[in-house]
Amino acid sequence: MSDPTYTPPKIWSFDAANGGKFANINRPTAGARFEKTLPRGEHALQLHSMATPNGVKVTVMLEELLEAGYSGAQYDAYPINIGDGDQFGSGFVDINPNSKIPALIDTSNSPETRIFESGSILLYLAEKFEAFIPKDLAGRTECMNWLFWQMGSAPFLGGGFGHFYAYAPEKYQYPIDRYAMEVKRQLDVLDKQLAKNKFIAGDQYTIADMAIWPWYGSLVRNVVYEAAEFLQTHEYTHLVRWANDIAQRPAVKRGVKVNRTWGEPEEQVPERHSAADFAGKV
C-alpha cells in the first residue's frame, strides 16, 4: 500500500515497479525498443491500431465512408497490442513517434503520408473524401469545435477517471472524486448540446460524433470502466438517446469489431482487409 501522506522528492526518478495495469510497458522515454517491420496489405490505406476508444474512432470513420459508397476508403487494418508493447516496434514508431494508436499510412500519395493522432486521422479522411464534415464555414467550425473539445476533454475521462477508478492498483477517494466530478460536468455539456441537436454539431452526422461516441457513448452504455451506475449516466437522457442511436448504425457495428482481440468470437475482427472479414460477425 502506498503511503497516503507521500511527499514528492526533490527530483523524480523512474520506478519500473510502480504498479498499475500498464506498468510493464510504461517508460519515461520515447522511441523504438525493438526492430519490427509492419505488414502491408493491398489497399492504399493501411491502419495499425487497436479497438480502444481512440482506435474505434478511425475504424468507424472508414466503415462509414465505405457504407456511404466511397470505394477509395477500402483499407487494411492490422492489430497493435498495446498491452504487449507492439507500439514500440520500429515500424510503428516510424508512423507515430509518440507510440500511440491509431496510426495510418496513405500510400496513394507520393511520398506516402503518415497520419497519427485520432483527431488528425478523422480530419484527414474527412478532407480527403469530402465527407462527414460540413462544407459551410459555420458548420465546419462547429464541427471543429466539438472535435477539439473531445481531444481536450477525453484525457480527463480516460487518463483521469478511468485510470483511478478502474486501473490504479489502489483506490483513493481524492482522485476518483476529482475526475468523477469533471466527467459528470462533461456529460452535462454533451447532454445539454444534444437536447437541442440530433447530432453533436447539429443535424448532420459528422466526425465530431465519431470522435466523441467511442468515449462518451461507451461510458453511458456501460461498455467502458463499468461506471454507469457510479456516475448515474442514465440521468443524461439526451446523451443516452444519441449514444444508442449511433450504436445501431451498420458501419458502427462493424467498426467497433475491427482490431478487437478480446470478447466473444463474433465481436472480434483482429485484421480487416475486406467486407468478407465480417461474415458471421454482424
Side-chain angles (χ1 to χ4, degrees):
M1 176 72 72
S2 298
D3 182 359
T5 61
Y6 166 75
T7 299
K10 187 173 182 180
I11 298 174
W12 180 85
S13 61
F14 173 62
D15 179 6
N18 62 358
K21 183 175 180 179
F22 301 105
N24 65 314
I25 59 169
N26 287 337
R27 300 289 184 275
T29 56
R33 299 179 189 173
F34 55 91
E35 293 295 318
K36 184 176 182 179
T37 301
L38 293 176
R40 178 71 60 101
E42 66 178 29
H43 300 302
L45 297 175
Q46 300 288 299
L47 178 67
H48 299 273
S49 189
M50 186 176 180
T52 64
N54 283 335
V56 165
K57 297 175 192 175
V58 177
T59 50
V60 163
M61 173 62 162
L62 289 164
E63 292 298 328
E64 290 284 10
L65 286 166
L66 292 170
E67 184 79 12
Y70 295 91
S71 59
Q74 286 289 350
Y75 67 104
D76 295 287
Y78 296 95
I80 296 293
N81 189 320
I82 62 175
D84 290 345
D86 291 349
Q87 68 274 31
F88 301 110
S90 58
F92 189 85
V93 174
D94 284 344
I95 308 174
N96 186 357
N98 195 40
S99 292
K100 302 289 184 181
I101 62 95
L104 181 70
I105 304 173
D106 187 349
T107 68
S108 68
N109 302 325
S110 183
E112 297 178 352
T113 303
R114 73 176 187 181
I115 315 102
F116 60 89
E117 291 297 326
S118 57
S120 179
I121 296 174
L122 290 178
L123 183 56
Y124 177 86
L125 292 171
E127 292 182 336
K128 178 181 178 71
F129 293 100
E130 298 183 349
F132 300 112
I133 186 169
K135 294 180 171 57
D136 64 291
L137 179 61
R140 177 186 171 87
T141 301
E142 183 69 1
C143 178
M144 292 296 96
N145 289 341
W146 288 102
L147 177 64
F148 284 97
W149 177 90
Q150 189 278 319
M151 300 301 139
S153 296
F156 289 94
L157 170 54
F161 175 77
H163 175 78
F164 287 105
Y165 183 81
Y167 299 142
E170 297 147 349
K171 299 290 190 290
Y172 290 112
Q173 183 178 356
Y174 175 77
I176 292 174
D177 281 354
R178 167 67 180 88
Y179 288 112
M181 178 179 65
E182 172 59 15
V183 168
K184 285 183 71 67
R185 189 194 69 81
Q186 293 176 1
L187 295 175
D188 198 38
V189 169
L190 293 172
D191 194 60
K192 285 179 167 60
Q193 176 68 7
L194 289 163
K196 301 178 293 183
N197 299 282
K198 182 178 181 181
F199 297 108
I200 291 293
D203 293 333
Q204 183 179 344
Y205 177 60
T206 70
I207 56 174
D209 299 282
M210 298 177 204
I212 293 170
W213 182 82
W215 281 105
Y216 296 89
S218 295
L219 182 68
V220 301
R221 296 172 62 244
N222 210 36
V223 175
V224 295
Y225 309 137
E226 296 184 350
E229 181 180 10
F230 179 72
L231 296 171
Q232 292 291 279
T233 62
H234 68 277
E235 295 176 349
Y236 305 98
T237 56
H238 306 291
L239 178 57
V240 170
R241 181 269 306 164
W242 167 86
N244 288 334
D245 286 350
I246 289 182
Q248 295 305 309
R249 296 178 68 91
V252 172
K253 290 182 178 181
R254 296 194 301 272
V256 297
K257 300 178 189 296
V258 178
N259 294 148
R260 185 179 174 93
T261 55
W262 64 92
E264 297 300 321
E266 63 271 15
E267 298 174 332
Q268 302 180 37
V269 181
E271 288 191 18
R272 189 272 186 211
H273 304 286
S274 73
D277 294 314
F278 295 102
K281 305 284 187 177
V282 180

